[in-house]
Amino acid sequence: MEHSIIVFITSILYAATGSILLWLGYRIFDKLTPGDAHAKIFEEGNIAVSILVGAFVLGLSLIIAAAMVG
């Protein structure tokens, strides 16, 4: 019983760490690219920027997952 609680807490910590790193990576990506990607996606409805950001987030999430697994 105690082992399963430790595994659960560890899983939550890894998920939180991965989410924070992904959010931080997106914010850095948004600052390094010209314009405001958030505004272009949600206010202007720019599909090209949506695809670019989606590809970046997918790639970064794969890197973060691989780094956490080892």
Side-chain angles (χ1 to χ4, degrees):
M1 180 72 166
E2 183 177 316
H3 176 69
S4 61
I5 293 172
I6 292 172
V7 170
F8 177 72
I9 291 172
T10 304
S11 298
I12 296 296
L13 289 175
Y14 274 112
T17 302
S19 297
I20 290 169
L21 288 174
L22 189 60
W23 176 80
L24 185 64
Y26 168 73
R27 296 315 262 168
I28 291 171
F29 176 77
D30 194 17
K31 295 290 182 195
L32 293 176
T33 54
D36 184 18
H38 186 79
K40 289 184 186 271
I41 293 171
F42 294 106
E43 293 174 10
E44 298 175 19
N46 192 330
I47 296 174
V49 175
S50 301
I51 293 171
L52 177 69
V53 170
F56 171 78
V57 168
L58 181 61
L60 184 59
S61 64
L62 290 172
I63 293 169
I64 291 170
M68 287 183 161
V69 170

